[in-house]
Amino acid sequence: MTQQTTQYAARQRLLDRTALVTGSTSNIGRSIAQALAAEGAHVVVSGRNAQRGEEVVADIRERGGKADFVAADLDGSPAASHDLAAAATEALGGRIDILVNNAGIYSPPVTLADTDSETFDRYYAVNVKAPYFLTQAVAPRMVADGGGAIINLGSWVARLGTPLGGLYASTKGALETLTRAWAADLGPQGVRVNAVSPGVIRPPELDPAVDFAGAMTRGTPAGDAGHPDAIGAAVVYLASDDARFVHGTVLDVDGGRAGVAVIAN
């Protein structure tokens, strides 16, 4: 099966809104930033690599969108997250309407026996503490401004056990739990909080000859890895008024991996 870019008609559902997307200099984060900008949002692209970030910004602008780059190394410290929130708010003219907590680390996948304290702490710092303190900084201002939308990035491995990657899976399980808790806390104050749970997503720049998905997608309805644009489209939906009645949900965009078995593996 040949994987192609997901195509959908932009309807300017996010016109005049602002968005911060962490880890948006490549792959899934890049597609999210591009999709939000295509729907009219002014997007802050954020990450550690300034060159790649500026390339994403240039691409968005060439398509007629609005974007700026803000460098950030989200190491899990409150200061790093709060500094990004302040810089992004300034770049966006004083408000953040949409926050996408996408930045995270996966490599190297480690087993239970191989995990040391430093690796454990680094995974939780980047994948849990960083979005926690970024949300802490952004959410009160959203409430004061009359509302907003926060979208976290989970993962299919948070609910379907695999032999490797348990540490990473546990961080994504934590973020999905925080999604529900924050929805309960912030929803009554006008801020919707939801999550997207991607399945196996193939980097677009990867050589097509490389068997990227392998057994991970065998037996699923989709039968193959997904394209990052599918995640971008899901985030646009959750950020838009189309999802005005959606709170605390985790939207699976995984080709059926976590919930459906066509062929038992």
Side-chain angles (χ1 to χ4, degrees):
M1 181 184 296
T2 301
Q3 185 63 48
Q4 298 180 348
T5 301
T6 301
Q7 299 290 337
Y8 65 95
R11 302 184 348 230
Q12 296 291 285
R13 286 174 285 180
L14 304 175
L15 191 62
D16 298 327
R17 298 187 197 181
T18 61
L20 166 60
V21 185
T22 66
S24 48
T25 61
S26 64
N27 205 16
I28 288 176
R30 177 177 59 204
S31 285
I32 292 172
Q34 291 169 334
L36 293 172
E39 290 283 350
H42 180 182
V43 180
V44 159
V45 175
S46 181
R48 292 177 295 178
N49 190 311
Q51 179 179 344
R52 291 194 313 194
E54 294 294 353
E55 289 172 355
V56 176
V57 168
D59 177 74
I60 289 173
R61 290 176 178 174
E62 286 172 5
R63 302 184 192 195
K66 297 177 64 176
D68 293 284
F69 175 71
V70 175
D73 184 3
L74 297 177
D75 58 7
S77 66
S81 291
H82 290 188
D83 286 349
L84 173 58
T89 299
E90 181 178 359
L92 294 170
R95 62 182 294 147
I96 297 173
D97 300 313
I98 302 160
L99 169 63
V100 183
N101 285 311
N102 169 72
I105 56 172
Y106 174 72
S107 182
V110 290
T111 65
L112 173 63
D114 294 336
T115 304
D116 56 30
S117 179
E118 181 181 356
T119 301
F120 187 98
D121 289 344
R122 183 162 57 90
Y123 268 73
Y124 268 83
V126 177
N127 293 2
V128 182
K129 289 180 68 178
Y132 188 98
F133 288 117
L134 184 56
T135 301
Q136 179 188 73
V138 171
R141 181 62 181 266
M142 282 185 173
V143 172
D145 288 339
I150 297 171
I151 298 101
N152 299 318
L153 269 291
S155 174
W156 66 280
V157 297
R159 276 165 290 143
L160 185 65
T162 60
L164 291 174
L167 176 59
Y168 171 79
S170 70
T171 65
K172 290 303 182 178
L175 201 54
E176 292 186 6
T177 295
L178 286 172
T179 296
R180 292 182 283 270
W182 290 342
D185 181 14
L186 299 171
Q189 303 178 73
V191 178
R192 294 186 301 104
V193 185
N194 292 287
V196 176
S197 177
V200 181
I201 302 297
R202 184 185 185 92
E205 61 274 10
L206 188 65
D207 185 342
V210 175
D211 182 11
F212 177 77
M216 292 188 290
T217 59
R218 191 176 303 130
T220 66
D224 199 0
H227 191 282
D229 285 358
I231 310 305
V235 169
V236 165
Y237 163 68
L238 290 174
S240 75
D241 290 341
D242 289 348
R244 67 177 64 86
F245 199 54
V246 181
H247 292 259
T249 195
V250 179
L251 177 58
D252 292 333
V253 186
D254 63 1
R257 173 73 279 181
V260 182
V262 176
I263 303 172
N265 290 325

